[in-house]
Coordinates of all heavy atoms in Angstrom, one line a residue:
V138 N 5.3 6.8 22.9 CA 6.3 7.7 22.6 C 6.1 9.1 23.3 O 7.0 9.6 24.0 CB 6.4 8.0 21.1 CG1 7.3 9.1 20.7 CG2 6.7 6.7 20.3
A139 N 4.9 9.6 23.3 CA 4.6 10.9 23.9 C 4.8 10.8 25.4 O 5.3 11.7 26.1 CB 3.2 11.4 23.6
A140 N 4.4 9.7 26.0 CA 4.5 9.5 27.5 C 6.0 9.5 27.9 O 6.4 10.0 28.9 CB 3.8 8.3 28.0
T141 N 6.8 8.8 27.0 CA 8.2 8.7 27.4 C 8.9 10.1 27.2 O 9.7 10.5 28.0 CB 8.9 7.7 26.4 OG1 8.3 6.4 26.6 CG2 10.4 7.5 26.8
Q142 N 8.5 10.8 26.2 CA 9.0 12.2 26.0 C 8.6 13.1 27.2 O 9.4 13.9 27.7 CB 8.6 12.8 24.7 CG 9.3 12.1 23.5 CD 8.7 12.4 22.2 OE1 7.5 12.7 22.1 NE2 9.5 12.3 21.1
S143 N 7.4 12.9 27.7 CA 6.9 13.6 28.8 C 7.7 13.3 30.1 O 8.0 14.1 30.9 CB 5.4 13.4 29.0 OG 4.9 14.1 30.1
W144 N 8.0 12.0 30.2 CA 8.8 11.5 31.4 C 10.1 12.2 31.5 O 10.6 12.6 32.5 CB 9.0 10.0 31.3 CG 10.0 9.5 32.3 CD1 9.8 9.1 33.6 CD2 11.4 9.4 32.1 NE1 10.9 8.8 34.2 CE2 12.0 8.9 33.4 CE3 12.3 9.6 31.1 CZ2 13.3 8.7 33.5 CZ3 13.7 9.4 31.2 CH2 14.2 8.9 32.5
K145 N 10.7 12.5 30.3 CA 12.0 13.1 30.2 C 12.1 14.5 30.9 O 13.1 14.9 31.6 CB 12.5 13.3 28.8 CG 13.9 13.9 28.6 CD 14.2 13.9 27.1 CE 15.5 14.6 26.9 NZ 15.4 16.1 27.0
K146 N 11.0 15.2 30.9 CA 10.9 16.6 31.4 C 12.1 17.4 31.1 O 12.4 17.5 29.9 CB 10.7 16.5 33.0 CG 9.4 15.8 33.4 CD 9.2 15.7 34.8 CE 7.9 15.1 35.3 NZ 7.5 13.9 34.8
L147 N 12.8 17.9 32.1 CA 14.0 18.7 31.8 C 15.3 17.9 31.9 O 16.4 18.5 31.9 CB 14.0 19.9 32.7 CG 12.9 20.9 32.5 CD1 12.9 22.0 33.5 CD2 12.9 21.5 31.1
R148 N 15.2 16.6 32.0 CA 16.4 15.8 32.0 C 17.2 16.0 30.7 O 16.6 16.2 29.7 CB 16.0 14.3 32.2 CG 15.3 14.0 33.5 CD 14.9 12.5 33.5 NE 14.3 12.1 34.8 CZ 13.0 12.1 35.0 NH1 12.1 12.4 34.1 NH2 12.6 11.7 36.2
P149 N 18.5 15.8 30.8 CA 19.3 16.1 29.6 C 19.1 15.0 28.5 O 19.4 15.2 27.3 CB 20.7 16.2 30.1 CG 20.7 15.4 31.3 CD 19.3 15.6 31.9
N150 N 18.6 13.8 28.9 CA 18.5 12.7 28.0 C 17.6 11.6 28.6 O 17.0 11.9 29.6 CB 19.9 12.1 27.7 CG 20.7 11.7 28.9 OD1 20.1 11.0 29.8 ND2 21.9 12.1 29.0
F151 N 17.5 10.5 28.0 CA 16.6 9.4 28.4 C 17.3 8.3 29.3 O 16.7 7.3 29.5 CB 15.9 8.7 27.2 CG 15.0 9.6 26.5 CD1 15.4 10.3 25.4 CD2 13.7 9.8 26.9 CE1 14.5 11.2 24.7 CE2 12.8 10.7 26.3 CZ 13.3 11.4 25.2
D152 N 18.5 8.6 29.7 CA 19.2 7.7 30.6 C 18.4 7.2 31.8 O 17.8 8.1 32.5 CB 20.5 8.3 31.1 CG 21.5 7.2 31.6 OD1 21.4 6.1 31.3 OD2 22.3 7.6 32.4
G153 N 18.2 5.9 32.0 CA 17.5 5.4 33.1 C 16.0 5.2 32.8 O 15.3 4.7 33.7
V154 N 15.5 5.5 31.7 CA 14.1 5.4 31.4 C 13.7 3.9 31.3 O 14.5 3.0 30.9 CB 13.7 6.1 30.1 CG1 14.2 5.4 28.8 CG2 12.2 6.2 30.0
T155 N 12.6 3.6 31.9 CA 12.0 2.2 31.8 C 10.5 2.4 31.7 O 9.9 3.4 31.9 CB 12.3 1.4 33.1 OG1 11.6 2.0 34.2 CG2 13.7 1.2 33.3
I156 N 9.8 1.3 31.3 CA 8.3 1.4 31.2 C 7.8 1.6 32.6 O 6.8 2.4 32.7 CB 7.7 0.1 30.6 CG1 6.2 0.2 30.3 CG2 8.0 -1.1 31.4 CD1 5.8 1.0 29.2
T157 N 8.4 1.1 33.6 CA 7.9 1.3 35.0 C 8.0 2.8 35.4 O 7.0 3.3 35.9 CB 8.7 0.4 36.0 OG1 8.5 -1.0 35.6 CG2 8.3 0.7 37.4
K158 N 9.1 3.4 35.0 CA 9.2 4.8 35.4 C 8.2 5.7 34.6 O 7.6 6.6 35.1 CB 10.6 5.3 35.1 CG 11.6 4.8 36.1 CD 13.0 5.3 35.9 CE 14.0 4.7 36.9 NZ 15.4 5.2 36.7
V159 N 8.0 5.4 33.3 CA 7.0 6.1 32.5 C 5.6 5.9 33.1 O 4.8 6.8 33.2 CB 7.1 5.7 31.1 CG1 6.0 6.4 30.2 CG2 8.5 6.1 30.5
C160 N 5.3 4.6 33.5 CA 4.0 4.3 34.1 C 3.8 5.1 35.4 O 2.7 5.6 35.7 CB 3.8 2.8 34.3 SG 3.6 1.9 32.7
Q161 N 4.8 5.1 36.2 CA 4.7 5.8 37.5 C 4.6 7.3 37.4 O 4.0 7.9 38.3 CB 6.0 5.4 38.4 CG 6.0 4.0 38.9 CD 7.3 3.6 39.5 OE1 8.3 4.3 39.4 NE2 7.2 2.5 40.3
D162 N 5.0 7.8 36.3 CA 4.9 9.2 36.0 C 3.4 9.6 35.7 O 3.1 10.8 35.7 CB 5.8 9.6 34.8 CG 6.1 11.1 34.8 OD1 6.4 11.7 35.8 OD2 6.1 11.6 33.7
G163 N 2.6 8.6 35.4 CA 1.2 8.9 35.3 C 0.7 9.2 33.9 O -0.4 9.6 33.7
Q164 N 1.6 9.1 32.9 CA 1.2 9.5 31.5 C 0.6 8.4 30.7 O 0.0 8.6 29.7 CB 2.4 10.0 30.8 CG 3.1 11.3 31.4 CD 2.1 12.4 31.3 OE1 1.5 12.7 30.3 NE2 2.0 13.1 32.4
L165 N 0.7 7.1 31.2 CA 0.1 6.0 30.5 C -1.0 5.4 31.3 O -1.0 5.4 32.5 CB 1.2 4.9 30.3 CG 2.3 5.2 29.2 CD1 3.4 4.1 29.3 CD2 1.7 5.3 27.9
S166 N -2.0 4.8 30.5 CA -3.1 4.2 31.2 C -2.7 2.8 31.8 O -1.7 2.2 31.3 CB -4.3 4.0 30.2 OG -4.0 3.0 29.3
K167 N -3.5 2.3 32.6 CA -3.3 1.0 33.2 C -3.5 -0.1 32.1 O -2.9 -1.2 32.2 CB -4.3 0.7 34.3 CG -3.9 1.4 35.6 CD -2.6 0.9 36.2 CE -2.3 1.6 37.5 NZ -0.9 1.2 37.9
N168 N -4.1 0.2 31.0 CA -4.2 -0.7 29.9 C -2.9 -1.0 29.3 O -2.6 -2.1 28.8 CB -5.2 -0.2 28.8 CG -6.6 -0.1 29.3 OD1 -7.0 -0.8 30.2 ND2 -7.4 0.7 28.6
V169 N -2.0 0.0 29.3 CA -0.6 -0.2 28.8 C 0.3 -0.7 29.9 O 1.2 -1.5 29.7 CB -0.1 1.1 28.2 CG1 1.4 1.0 27.8 CG2 -1.0 1.5 27.0
C170 N 0.2 -0.1 31.1 CA 1.1 -0.3 32.2 C 0.8 -1.7 32.9 O 1.8 -2.3 33.4 CB 1.0 0.8 33.2 SG 1.6 2.4 32.6
G171 N -0.4 -2.0 33.0 CA -0.8 -3.2 33.8 C -0.8 -2.9 35.3 O -0.4 -1.8 35.7
S172 N -1.3 -3.8 36.0 CA -1.4 -3.6 37.5 C -0.1 -3.4 38.2 O 0.0 -2.8 39.3 CB -2.2 -4.7 38.1 OG -1.6 -6.0 37.9
S173 N 1.0 -3.9 37.6 CA 2.3 -3.8 38.3 C 3.2 -2.7 37.7 O 4.3 -2.6 38.0 CB 3.0 -5.2 38.1 OG 2.3 -6.2 38.8
N174 N 2.6 -1.9 36.8 CA 3.3 -0.9 36.1 C 4.6 -1.4 35.4 O 5.6 -0.7 35.3 CB 3.8 0.2 37.1 CG 2.6 1.2 37.4 OD1 1.7 1.3 36.6 ND2 2.7 1.8 38.5
D175 N 4.5 -2.6 34.8 CA 5.6 -3.1 34.1 C 5.4 -3.5 32.6 O 6.3 -4.0 31.9 CB 6.1 -4.4 34.8 CG 5.1 -5.5 34.9 OD1 4.0 -5.3 34.3 OD2 5.3 -6.4 35.7
G176 N 4.2 -3.2 32.1 CA 3.9 -3.4 30.7 C 3.9 -4.9 30.3 O 3.9 -5.2 29.1
V177 N 3.8 -5.8 31.2 CA 3.8 -7.2 30.9 C 2.4 -7.7 30.5 O 1.4 -7.4 31.2 CB 4.3 -8.0 32.1 CG1 4.2 -9.5 31.9 CG2 5.8 -7.7 32.4
A178 N 2.4 -8.3 29.4 CA 1.1 -8.9 28.8 C 0.0 -7.9 28.6 O -1.2 -8.2 28.8 CB 0.7 -10.1 29.7
T179 N 0.4 -6.7 28.2 CA -0.6 -5.6 28.1 C -0.9 -5.1 26.7 O -1.8 -4.4 26.4 CB -0.3 -4.4 29.0 OG1 1.0 -3.9 28.5 CG2 -0.2 -4.7 30.4
N180 N 0.0 -5.6 25.7 CA -0.3 -5.0 24.4 C -1.4 -5.9 23.7 O -1.7 -7.0 24.2 CB 1.0 -4.9 23.6 CG 1.6 -6.2 23.1 OD1 0.9 -7.1 22.7 ND2 2.9 -6.2 23.0
P181 N -1.9 -5.4 22.6 CA -3.1 -6.0 22.0 C -2.8 -7.5 21.4 O -3.7 -8.2 21.1 CB -3.4 -5.1 20.8 CG -2.8 -3.8 21.1 CD -1.6 -4.1 22.0
F182 N -1.5 -7.8 21.4 CA -1.1 -9.1 20.9 C -0.7 -10.1 22.0 O -0.1 -11.1 21.8 CB 0.0 -9.0 19.9 CG -0.3 -8.0 18.8 CD1 0.0 -6.7 18.9 CD2 -1.1 -8.4 17.7 CE1 -0.3 -5.8 17.9 CE2 -1.5 -7.5 16.7 CZ -1.1 -6.2 16.8
G183 N -1.0 -9.7 23.2 CA -0.8 -10.6 24.4 C 0.7 -10.5 24.9 O 1.1 -11.3 25.7
G184 N 1.4 -9.5 24.3 CA 2.8 -9.4 24.7 C 3.1 -8.3 25.6 O 2.2 -7.6 26.2
N185 N 4.4 -8.0 25.7 CA 4.9 -7.0 26.7 C 5.3 -5.7 25.9 O 5.7 -5.8 24.7 CB 6.1 -7.5 27.4 CG 5.9 -8.8 28.1 OD1 4.7 -9.2 28.4 ND2 6.9 -9.6 28.3
W186 N 5.4 -4.6 26.7 CA 6.0 -3.4 26.2 C 7.2 -3.1 27.1 O 7.2 -3.4 28.3 CB 5.0 -2.2 26.5 CG 3.8 -2.2 25.6 CD1 2.5 -2.3 26.1 CD2 3.7 -2.0 24.2 NE1 1.6 -2.3 25.0 CE2 2.4 -2.0 23.9 CE3 4.7 -1.7 23.2 CZ2 1.9 -1.9 22.5 CZ3 4.2 -1.6 21.9 CH2 2.9 -1.6 21.6
T187 N 8.3 -2.7 26.5 CA 9.5 -2.3 27.2 C 9.9 -0.9 26.6 O 9.7 -0.6 25.5 CB 10.6 -3.3 27.2 OG1 11.0 -3.4 25.8 CG2 10.3 -4.6 27.8
V188 N 10.5 -0.1 27.5 CA 11.1 1.2 27.1 C 12.5 1.2 27.7 O 12.7 1.0 28.9 CB 10.3 2.4 27.6 CG1 10.9 3.7 27.2 CG2 8.9 2.3 27.1
V189 N 13.5 1.5 26.9 CA 14.9 1.6 27.4 C 15.6 2.7 26.6 O 15.2 3.1 25.5 CB 15.7 0.3 27.2 CG1 15.1 -0.8 28.0 CG2 15.8 -0.1 25.7
V190 N 16.7 3.2 27.2 CA 17.5 4.2 26.6 C 18.2 3.5 25.4 O 18.6 2.4 25.5 CB 18.4 4.9 27.5 CG1 19.5 3.9 28.0 CG2 19.1 6.1 26.9
D191 N 18.5 4.3 24.3 CA 19.3 3.8 23.2 C 20.7 3.8 23.7 O 21.2 4.9 24.0 CB 19.1 4.6 22.0 CG 19.8 4.1 20.8 OD1 20.9 3.6 20.9 OD2 19.2 4.3 19.7
T192 N 21.4 2.7 23.7 CA 22.8 2.6 24.2 C 23.7 3.4 23.3 O 24.8 3.8 23.7 CB 23.3 1.2 24.3 OG1 23.1 0.5 23.0 CG2 22.5 0.4 25.4
A193 N 23.4 3.6 22.0 CA 24.3 4.4 21.1 C 24.1 5.9 21.3 O 25.0 6.6 21.0 CB 24.0 4.0 19.7
S194 N 22.9 6.3 21.8 CA 22.7 7.7 22.0 C 21.7 7.9 23.1 O 20.5 7.5 22.9 CB 22.2 8.4 20.8 OG 21.8 9.7 21.0
K195 N 22.1 8.4 24.2 CA 21.1 8.6 25.4 C 20.1 9.6 25.1 O 19.1 9.8 25.8 CB 21.9 9.0 26.6 CG 22.8 7.8 27.1 CD 23.5 8.2 28.4 CE 24.4 7.1 28.9 NZ 25.0 7.4 30.1
G196 N 20.2 10.3 24.0 CA 19.1 11.3 23.6 C 18.0 10.6 22.8 O 17.0 11.2 22.5
L197 N 18.1 9.3 22.7 CA 17.0 8.5 22.0 C 16.6 7.4 22.9 O 17.3 7.0 23.9 CB 17.6 7.9 20.7 CG 18.1 8.8 19.7 CD1 18.8 8.1 18.5 CD2 17.1 9.8 19.2
F198 N 15.4 6.8 22.6 CA 14.9 5.7 23.4 C 14.3 4.6 22.5 O 14.0 5.0 21.3 CB 13.9 6.1 24.5 CG 12.7 6.7 24.0 CD1 11.6 6.0 23.7 CD2 12.7 8.1 23.7 CE1 10.4 6.6 23.2 CE2 11.5 8.7 23.2 CZ 10.4 8.0 23.0
K199 N 14.2 3.4 23.0 CA 13.6 2.3 22.2 C 12.4 1.8 22.9 O 12.4 1.6 24.1 CB 14.7 1.2 22.0 CG 15.9 1.6 21.2 CD 16.9 0.4 21.1 CE 18.1 0.8 20.3 NZ 17.9 0.6 18.9
I200 N 11.4 1.5 22.1 CA 10.2 0.8 22.6 C 10.1 -0.5 21.9 O 10.2 -0.6 20.6 CB 8.9 1.6 22.3 CG1 9.0 3.0 23.0 CG2 7.7 0.8 22.6 CD1 7.8 3.9 22.7
T201 N 9.9 -1.6 22.7 CA 9.8 -2.9 22.1 C 8.4 -3.5 22.5 O 8.0 -3.3 23.6 CB 10.9 -3.9 22.6 OG1 12.1 -3.4 22.2 CG2 10.7 -5.3 22.0
G202 N 7.8 -4.0 21.5 CA 6.5 -4.8 21.7 C 6.7 -6.2 21.3 O 7.3 -6.4 20.2
T203 N 6.3 -7.1 22.1 CA 6.4 -8.5 21.7 C 5.0 -9.0 21.3 O 4.0 -8.5 21.7 CB 6.9 -9.4 22.9 OG1 6.0 -9.3 24.0 CG2 8.3 -9.0 23.3
L204 N 5.1 -10.0 20.4 CA 3.9 -10.5 19.8 C 3.8 -12.0 19.9 O 3.9 -12.8 18.9 CB 3.8 -10.2 18.3 CG 3.6 -8.7 17.9 CD1 4.8 -7.9 18.0 CD2 2.9 -8.6 16.6
P205 N 3.7 -12.6 21.1 CA 3.8 -14.0 21.3 C 2.6 -14.8 20.6 O 2.7 -15.9 20.2 CB 3.8 -14.2 22.8 CG 3.1 -13.0 23.3 CD 3.5 -11.9 22.4
S206 N 1.4 -14.1 20.5 CA 0.3 -14.8 20.0 C 0.1 -14.6 18.5 O -0.7 -15.2 17.8 CB -1.0 -14.3 20.7 OG -0.9 -14.5 22.1
D207 N 0.8 -13.6 17.9 CA 0.6 -13.2 16.5 C 2.0 -13.0 15.8 O 2.2 -12.1 15.1 CB -0.2 -11.9 16.4 CG -1.7 -12.2 16.7 OD1 -2.2 -13.1 16.1 OD2 -2.2 -11.4 17.5
A208 N 2.9 -13.9 16.0 CA 4.2 -13.8 15.4 C 4.2 -13.7 13.9 O 5.1 -13.0 13.3 CB 5.1 -14.9 15.9
D209 N 3.2 -14.2 13.3 CA 3.1 -14.1 11.8 C 2.8 -12.7 11.3 O 2.8 -12.4 10.2 CB 2.0 -15.1 11.3 CG 0.7 -14.9 11.9 OD1 0.6 -14.6 13.1 OD2 -0.3 -15.2 11.2
R210 N 2.4 -11.8 12.3 CA 2.1 -10.4 11.9 C 3.3 -9.5 12.1 O 3.1 -8.3 11.8 CB 0.9 -10.0 12.7 CG -0.4 -10.8 12.3 CD -1.6 -10.2 12.9 NE -1.8 -8.9 12.4 CZ -2.6 -8.0 13.0 NH1 -3.2 -8.3 14.0 NH2 -2.7 -6.8 12.5
V211 N 4.4 -10.0 12.5 CA 5.5 -9.1 12.8 C 5.9 -8.2 11.6 O 6.1 -7.0 11.7 CB 6.8 -9.9 13.3 CG1 8.0 -9.0 13.3 CG2 6.5 -10.4 14.7
S212 N 6.0 -8.8 10.4 CA 6.4 -8.1 9.2 C 5.4 -7.0 8.9 O 5.8 -5.9 8.6 CB 6.6 -9.0 8.1 OG 7.7 -9.9 8.3
S213 N 4.2 -7.3 8.9 CA 3.2 -6.3 8.5 C 3.1 -5.2 9.5 O 3.1 -4.0 9.2 CB 1.8 -7.0 8.5 OG 0.8 -6.1 8.3
L214 N 3.2 -5.5 10.8 CA 3.2 -4.5 11.8 C 4.4 -3.6 11.8 O 4.4 -2.4 12.1 CB 3.0 -5.1 13.2 CG 1.5 -5.6 13.5 CD1 1.5 -6.4 14.8 CD2 0.5 -4.5 13.5
A215 N 5.6 -4.3 11.5 CA 6.8 -3.5 11.4 C 6.7 -2.5 10.3 O 7.2 -1.3 10.4 CB 8.0 -4.5 11.2
D216 N 6.1 -2.9 9.2 CA 5.9 -1.9 8.1 C 5.0 -0.8 8.5 O 5.2 0.4 8.1 CB 5.3 -2.6 6.8 CG 6.4 -3.3 6.0 OD1 7.6 -3.0 6.2 OD2 6.0 -4.2 5.2
T217 N 4.0 -1.1 9.3 CA 3.1 0.0 9.8 C 3.8 0.9 10.7 O 3.6 2.1 10.6 CB 1.9 -0.7 10.5 OG1 1.2 -1.5 9.6 CG2 1.0 0.4 11.1
M218 N 4.7 0.4 11.6 CA 5.4 1.3 12.6 C 6.6 2.0 12.0 O 7.0 3.0 12.6 CB 5.8 0.4 13.8 CG 4.6 -0.2 14.5 SD 3.3 1.0 15.0 CE 4.2 2.1 16.1
A219 N 7.2 1.5 10.9 CA 8.4 2.1 10.4 C 8.3 3.7 10.2 O 9.2 4.4 10.6 CB 8.8 1.4 9.1
P220 N 7.2 4.2 9.7 CA 7.1 5.6 9.5 C 7.1 6.4 10.8 O 7.4 7.6 10.8 CB 5.9 5.8 8.7 CG 5.6 4.5 8.1 CD 6.1 3.5 9.0
T221 N 6.8 5.8 11.9 CA 6.7 6.5 13.2 C 8.0 6.6 13.9 O 8.1 7.4 14.8 CB 5.7 5.8 14.2 OG1 6.3 4.6 14.7 CG2 4.4 5.5 13.5
T222 N 9.0 5.9 13.4 CA 10.3 5.9 14.1 C 11.1 7.1 13.8 O 10.7 7.9 12.9 CB 11.1 4.6 13.7 OG1 11.5 4.7 12.3 CG2 10.4 3.3 14.0
R223 N 12.2 7.3 14.4 CA 13.1 8.4 14.3 C 13.4 8.7 12.8 O 13.5 9.9 12.4 CB 14.4 8.3 15.1 CG 15.3 9.4 14.9 CD 16.0 9.8 16.2 NE 17.0 10.8 16.0 CZ 16.8 12.1 16.4 NH1 15.7 12.5 16.9 NH2 17.8 12.9 16.2
S224 N 13.7 7.7 12.0 CA 14.1 7.8 10.6 C 12.9 8.0 9.7 O 13.1 8.2 8.5 CB 15.0 6.7 10.1 OG 16.2 6.7 10.8
A225 N 11.7 7.8 10.2 CA 10.5 7.9 9.4 C 10.6 7.1 8.1 O 10.4 7.6 7.0 CB 10.2 9.4 9.1
C226 N 10.9 5.9 8.2 CA 11.2 5.0 7.1 C 9.9 4.7 6.4 O 8.8 4.7 7.0 CB 11.8 3.7 7.6 SG 13.3 3.9 8.5
I227 N 10.0 4.4 5.1 CA 8.8 4.0 4.3 C 8.4 2.6 4.6 O 7.2 2.3 4.6 CB 9.2 4.1 2.8 CG1 9.6 5.5 2.4 CG2 8.1 3.6 1.9 CD1 8.5 6.5 2.6
E228 N 9.3 1.7 4.9 CA 9.0 0.3 5.3 C 10.1 -0.2 6.2 O 11.1 0.4 6.4 CB 8.9 -0.6 4.0 CG 10.2 -0.6 3.3 CD 10.0 -1.4 2.0 OE1 8.9 -1.8 1.6 OE2 11.1 -1.7 1.4
A229 N 9.8 -1.3 6.8 CA 10.7 -1.9 7.8 C 12.0 -2.3 7.2 O 13.1 -2.2 7.8 CB 10.0 -3.1 8.5
S230 N 12.0 -2.9 6.0 CA 13.2 -3.4 5.4 C 14.2 -2.2 5.2 O 13.8 -1.2 4.6 CB 12.8 -4.0 4.0 OG 14.0 -4.4 3.4
G231 N 15.4 -2.3 5.7 CA 16.4 -1.3 5.6 C 16.2 -0.2 6.5 O 17.0 0.8 6.4
C232 N 15.3 -0.2 7.4 CA 15.0 0.9 8.3 C 16.0 0.8 9.5 O 16.0 -0.2 10.2 CB 13.6 0.9 8.9 SG 13.2 2.3 9.9
S233 N 16.9 1.8 9.7 CA 17.9 1.8 10.7 C 17.3 2.0 12.1 O 18.0 1.8 13.1 CB 19.0 2.8 10.4 OG 18.4 4.1 10.4
T234 N 16.1 2.5 12.2 CA 15.5 2.8 13.5 C 14.4 1.8 13.9 O 13.5 2.1 14.7 CB 15.0 4.2 13.6 OG1 14.1 4.5 12.5 CG2 16.2 5.2 13.6
L235 N 14.4 0.6 13.2 CA 13.4 -0.4 13.5 C 14.1 -1.8 13.3 O 14.8 -1.9 12.3 CB 12.2 -0.3 12.6 CG 11.1 -1.2 12.9 CD1 9.7 -0.5 12.8 CD2 11.1 -2.4 12.0
S236 N 13.9 -2.7 14.2 CA 14.4 -4.0 14.1 C 13.3 -5.0 14.5 O 12.4 -4.7 15.3 CB 15.7 -4.2 14.8 OG 15.5 -4.1 16.2
T237 N 13.4 -6.2 14.0 CA 12.5 -7.2 14.4 C 13.2 -8.5 14.7 O 14.3 -8.8 14.4 CB 11.5 -7.6 13.2 OG1 12.2 -8.0 12.1 CG2 10.7 -6.3 12.8
T238 N 12.5 -9.3 15.5 CA 12.9 -10.7 15.8 C 11.7 -11.6 15.3 O 10.7 -11.0 14.8 CB 13.2 -11.0 17.2 OG1 12.0 -10.9 18.0 CG2 14.3 -10.0 17.8
A239 N 11.7 -12.8 15.6 CA 10.6 -13.7 15.2 C 9.3 -13.3 15.9 O 8.2 -13.5 15.3 CB 10.9 -15.1 15.6
N240 N 9.4 -12.6 17.1 CA 8.1 -12.3 17.8 C 8.2 -10.9 18.4 O 7.5 -10.7 19.4 CB 7.8 -13.3 18.8 CG 8.8 -13.4 19.9 OD1 9.8 -12.8 19.9 ND2 8.4 -14.1 21.0
S241 N 9.0 -10.0 17.9 CA 9.1 -8.6 18.5 C 9.4 -7.6 17.5 O 10.0 -7.9 16.4 CB 10.1 -8.6 19.7 OG 11.4 -8.7 19.2
I242 N 9.1 -6.3 17.8 CA 9.4 -5.2 17.0 C 10.0 -4.2 18.0 O 9.4 -3.8 19.0 CB 8.2 -4.5 16.4 CG1 7.5 -5.6 15.5 CG2 8.6 -3.3 15.6 CD1 6.1 -5.1 15.0
T243 N 11.2 -3.6 17.6 CA 11.9 -2.6 18.4 C 12.0 -1.4 17.6 O 12.5 -1.4 16.5 CB 13.2 -3.1 18.9 OG1 13.1 -4.2 19.8 CG2 13.9 -2.0 19.7
M244 N 11.5 -0.3 18.1 CA 11.5 1.0 17.4 C 12.3 2.1 18.2 O 12.2 2.1 19.4 CB 10.0 1.5 17.2 CG 9.2 0.5 16.5 SD 7.4 0.5 17.0 CE 7.5 -0.4 18.6
T245 N 13.1 2.8 17.4 CA 13.9 3.9 18.1 C 13.2 5.3 17.8 O 12.9 5.6 16.6 CB 15.3 3.9 17.5 OG1 15.9 2.6 17.8 CG2 16.2 4.9 18.2
Y246 N 13.2 6.1 18.9 CA 12.6 7.4 18.8 C 13.5 8.4 19.4 O 14.3 8.1 20.2 CB 11.3 7.5 19.5 CG 10.2 6.6 18.9 CD1 10.0 5.3 19.4 CD2 9.5 7.0 17.8 CE1 9.1 4.4 18.9 CE2 8.5 6.1 17.3 CZ 8.4 4.8 17.8 OH 7.4 4.0 17.2

């Protein structure tokens, strides 16, 4: 989140943001970016990181983490991450700034 906000600099919004651009900006470690600066297979669950602008509001961005090796932990991790999102939700259920699939969590900031 902090690295994406730093990438924004004086830009008016997050339009065009990607994990690659954030990685190239130098704010994230190679542990997150990977050797190709694409966030592929770099998260602790063997999955990918992505960063994109929120299509509903270019002043917001979304971070998605996939969990291909630990899909059974999506619900628990979503509850952990819910308070960090824009809405600071108590839990994932009913949180408008967090969504899940069978193997991913998407958070809006």
Side-chain angles (χ1 to χ4, degrees):
V138 173
T141 303
Q142 291 168 332
S143 178
W144 169 88
K145 182 178 174 281
K146 295 178 177 53
L147 295 175
R148 294 174 176 99
N150 56 49
F151 293 98
D152 194 24
V154 71
T155 64
I156 187 78
T157 299
K158 289 180 179 179
V159 175
C160 288
Q161 290 171 341
D162 200 42
Q164 298 296 314
L165 287 174
S166 75
K167 284 294 180 188
N168 291 341
V169 174
C170 295
S172 59
S173 299
N174 281 338
D175 58 7
V177 172
T179 60
N180 74 34
F182 304 97
N185 307 333
W186 292 112
T187 60
V188 178
V189 298
V190 67
D191 184 325
T192 56
S194 172
K195 291 181 181 183
L197 303 174
F198 62 94
K199 294 179 180 274
I200 297 176
T201 299
T203 59
L204 291 81
S206 302
D207 288 310
D209 57 325
R210 296 192 58 201
V211 168
S212 294
S213 175
L214 288 169
D216 280 340
T217 299
M218 297 308 298
T221 72
T222 67
R223 176 138 174 109
S224 295
C226 304
I227 299 298
E228 62 185 10
S230 179
C232 185
S233 63
T234 53
L235 185 140
S236 63
T237 61
T238 68
N240 68 347
S241 71
I242 302 170
T243 300
M244 301 149 285
T245 302
Y246 298 94

